[in-house]
């Protein structure tokens, strides 16, 4: 089993930055692929960013490219989503997700992941 715990959300002004950590536990992390999704009221869950635990290759949704950066801290078993230049349309609950030993990493699809954190609220105002 894999347990995921997001944190770091909050209320910020447009143009501000936040960093969301996601701590993982329960299985050898070498075989995990990780993703970030978000869900705003009335909308479906939307892909934000993804990467393999042991890879430096990252994937981003078009609207966050150049503003968001996903990274991992192997010593702390944690992945991070650094969010810069936040916009009002970034307001959502942000979820950390993982899949163990994916045959094909369907990184942009919510049903490509098996484990999810509880979510953390990010609200951007202007």
């Amino acid at each position: 089993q894999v347990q995921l715990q997001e944190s770091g959300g909050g209320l910020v002004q447009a143009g501000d930055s936040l960093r969301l950590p996601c701590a993982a536990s329960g299985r050898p992390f070498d075989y995990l692929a990780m993703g970030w999704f978000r869900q705003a009221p009335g909308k479906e869950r939307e892909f934000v960013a993804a990467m393999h635990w042991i890879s430096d290759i990252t994937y981003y949704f078009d609207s966050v490219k150049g503003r968001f950066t996903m990274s991992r801290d192997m010593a702390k078993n944690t992945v991070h989503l650094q969010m810069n230049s936040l916009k009002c349309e970034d307001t959502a609950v942000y979820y950390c997700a993982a899949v163990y030993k994916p045959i094909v990493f369907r990184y942009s699809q919510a049903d490509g992941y098996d484990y999810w954190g509880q979510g953390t609220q990010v609200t951007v105002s202007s």
Side-chain angles (χ1 to χ4, degrees):
Q1 300 297 318
V2 175
Q3 294 81 45
L4 304 174
Q5 182 69 52
E6 314 99 325
S7 59
L11 174 63
V12 298
Q13 293 285 322
D16 286 354
S17 297
L18 280 175
R19 189 175 76 162
L20 307 181
C22 174
S25 63
R27 303 192 80 168
F29 306 132
D30 310 58
Y31 305 111
L32 289 178
M34 308 290 296
W36 285 95
F37 286 74
R38 64 188 182 186
Q39 189 165 23
K43 297 183 179 180
E44 65 181 5
R45 194 162 295 189
E46 178 182 67
F47 168 71
V48 176
M51 70 184 304
H52 287 276
W53 186 262
I54 60 172
S55 174
D56 61 356
I57 299 174
T58 52
Y59 309 88
Y60 298 99
F61 183 59
D62 286 346
S63 69
V64 309
K65 288 181 180 178
R67 299 190 297 120
F68 291 11
T69 302
M70 188 174 180
S71 62
R72 81 277 198 219
D73 185 338
M74 293 184 177
K76 297 182 178 180
N77 300 329
T78 301
V79 297
H80 295 90
L81 184 67
Q82 177 68 44
M83 306 187 295
N84 298 327
S85 301
L86 283 162
K87 305 175 180 179
C88 291
E89 50 263 44
D90 295 319
T91 295
V93 177
Y94 282 71
Y95 296 91
C96 181
V99 57
Y100 189 67
K101 292 185 177 181
I103 299 173
V104 177
F105 187 21
R106 300 190 294 113
Y107 59 84
S108 66
Q109 302 297 316
D111 63 2
Y113 297 83
D114 297 322
Y115 306 99
W116 294 85
Q118 82 289 344
T120 186
Q121 176 71 49
V122 173
T123 302
V124 185
S125 64
S126 64

